[in-house]
Amino acid sequence: MEIMKTVEDMQQWCLIQKRAGRSIGLVPTMGYLHEGHLALVRQARQNCDIVIVSIFVNPIQFGTGEDFDEYPRDLTRDSEVLRQERVDAIFAPLASDMYPRGFNTYVEVFGDVTEKLCARSRPGHFKGVTTVCSKLFHICQPDRAYFGQKDAQQLLVMQKMVRDLNFPLEIVPVPIVREPDGLAMSSRNVYLSPEERRQALVLYQSLQEAQKLINSGERKVETIKGLIRDCIESSPLARIDYIEIYDADDLSDIEEIDGRALIALAVKFGNTRLIDNLLVEV
Ligand code: PAF
């Protein structure tokens, strides 16, 4: 397994792979890998000749007061895990190489997909994500890039960017991976105290309750959101950022579920903000 630390080395290596006719799968990550990331890697391993995992805590997608400095990092452990997954290359650039002095070009997607949900409390976040992913796509030239359904909004933003700008690659969605008790895997789960970790289970429980209500015939968005709110508020440590239900394809507003809908939650426990979601179809 190669570990590339400069843009130039990574780009050269990818060019060689492309010229040899090999398909490339890219798994963009910020490291501190867990089973959720490994599900992306395994999917890429099944589909592509070459699998590249990028590990880069992207400074421009963090706002002031967010956890850029504290974000967990462990390249040694990540490398070992990825070696066992038979990954071909890790791309772990320095921020100064990705954003050298004078860097001043950004890629931004507009519309509902970048104005709702996490965009409201994280202004500029998606512009940082689309800019870094555009750079990663140019550097690694993947045929496919793998994104988790856990960050459903990020996935929609990526799909829209690739479609709107004709990037010659496919965005492959991979289902959410959960801990045995239902908590969605996230690198940020390590921030939770034992009590916060216990109470955070209410996220998945509230989504399951919502699914039951929908199965029983309820379609009204406000009623379903009310049930989720009551469920989450039963946990004293939970502070709700948002509970929303939108059209699953473009995040447009809906009053009733009729087709595919996304139920999305962001809730803080202490200083840790967790997201979770459920795709429903009626
Ligand atoms: O989901 C993440 O870990 C990041 O937003 C990504 C896609 C690696 C871009 O920095």
Side-chain angles (χ1 to χ4, degrees):
M1 185 179 72
E2 308 277 345
I3 301 184
M4 313 277 177
K5 296 224 167 160
T6 70
V7 169
E8 198 185 337
D9 285 353
M10 189 75 245
Q11 205 155 27
Q12 286 305 321
W13 191 83
C14 291
L15 273 177
I16 293 167
Q17 304 307 325
K18 295 300 274 189
R19 286 197 187 123
R22 299 186 186 115
S23 62
I24 296 181
L26 173 67
V27 181
T29 80
M30 299 205 297
Y32 214 71
L33 305 175
H34 50 67
E35 282 296 320
H37 296 111
L38 298 188
L40 307 179
V41 170
R42 287 170 194 152
Q43 186 71 54
R45 188 69 286 168
Q46 274 187 18
N47 300 157
C48 305
D49 299 323
I50 296 289
V51 178
I52 301 172
V53 177
S54 63
I55 297 183
F56 180 58
V57 185
N58 174 33
I60 67 166
Q61 71 186 70
F62 289 79
T64 35
E66 290 189 16
D67 56 344
F68 174 71
D69 289 331
E70 298 82 47
Y71 198 86
R73 293 159 169 91
D74 191 344
L75 184 57
T76 311
R77 195 199 64 149
D78 288 347
S79 311
E80 200 35 57
V81 169
L82 294 177
R83 198 183 300 280
Q84 283 169 22
E85 295 293 329
R86 296 175 299 109
V87 162
D88 299 283
I90 294 177
F91 179 42
L94 290 175
S96 56
D97 198 16
M98 289 293 272
Y99 305 115
R101 188 188 291 272
F103 177 90
N104 207 4
T105 302
Y106 295 85
V107 177
E108 190 165 8
V109 170
F110 294 91
D112 280 344
V113 289
T114 54
E115 282 160 17
K116 293 179 171 176
L117 301 179
C118 292
R120 294 203 168 123
S121 51
R122 304 190 70 190
H125 169 70
F126 288 109
K127 183 175 165 186
V129 172
T130 42
T131 300
V132 78
C133 288
S134 298
K135 286 177 68 82
L136 292 170
F137 295 164
H138 288 306
I139 295 164
C140 301
Q141 299 187 44
D143 297 273
R144 299 180 192 91
Y146 295 79
F147 288 86
Q149 180 62 43
K150 154 91 183 334
D151 195 334
Q153 188 174 16
Q154 172 169 277
L155 178 58
L156 286 175
V157 172
M158 279 302 130
Q159 286 168 329
K160 185 158 172 57
M161 179 185 84
V162 161
R163 200 167 51 239
D164 286 357
L165 295 183
N166 307 102
F167 277 88
L169 62 98
E170 183 193 348
I171 299 292
V172 183
V174 177
I176 298 177
V177 179
R178 298 183 180 279
E179 302 280 359
D181 60 9
L183 184 68
M185 299 246 178
S186 164
S187 303
R188 290 191 167 98
N189 290 350
V190 294
Y191 298 151
L192 297 167
S193 70
E195 184 53 22
E196 288 165 352
R197 168 73 182 71
R198 199 183 63 74
Q199 291 198 24
L201 294 180
V202 77
L203 264 67
Y204 186 49
Q205 286 160 1
S206 72
L207 292 171
Q208 287 178 308
E209 290 304 316
Q211 180 73 74
K212 279 191 214 151
L213 189 62
I214 295 164
N215 291 348
S216 75
E218 183 59 62
R219 297 288 178 266
K220 284 200 188 63
V221 159
E222 283 312 316
T223 309
I224 301 162
K225 279 164 65 171
L227 171 93
I228 297 173
R229 181 170 297 278
D230 290 346
C231 186
I232 293 179
E233 283 177 347
S234 69
S235 281
L237 295 179
R239 279 180 295 128
I240 296 170
D241 179 356
Y242 63 72
I243 299 167
E244 298 291 359
I245 304 180
Y246 291 128
D247 179 283
D249 295 322
D250 58 8
L251 300 189
S252 56
D253 293 333
I254 50 174
E255 282 177 16
E256 297 204 353
I257 301 182
D258 176 21
R260 273 163 39 84
L262 177 73
I263 307 180
L265 316 174
V267 178
K268 276 185 107 174
F269 292 86
N271 292 325
T272 310
R273 185 173 171 282
L274 300 180
I275 56 172
D276 202 346
N277 69 77
L278 181 70
L279 275 174
V280 290
E281 188 158 13
V282 298

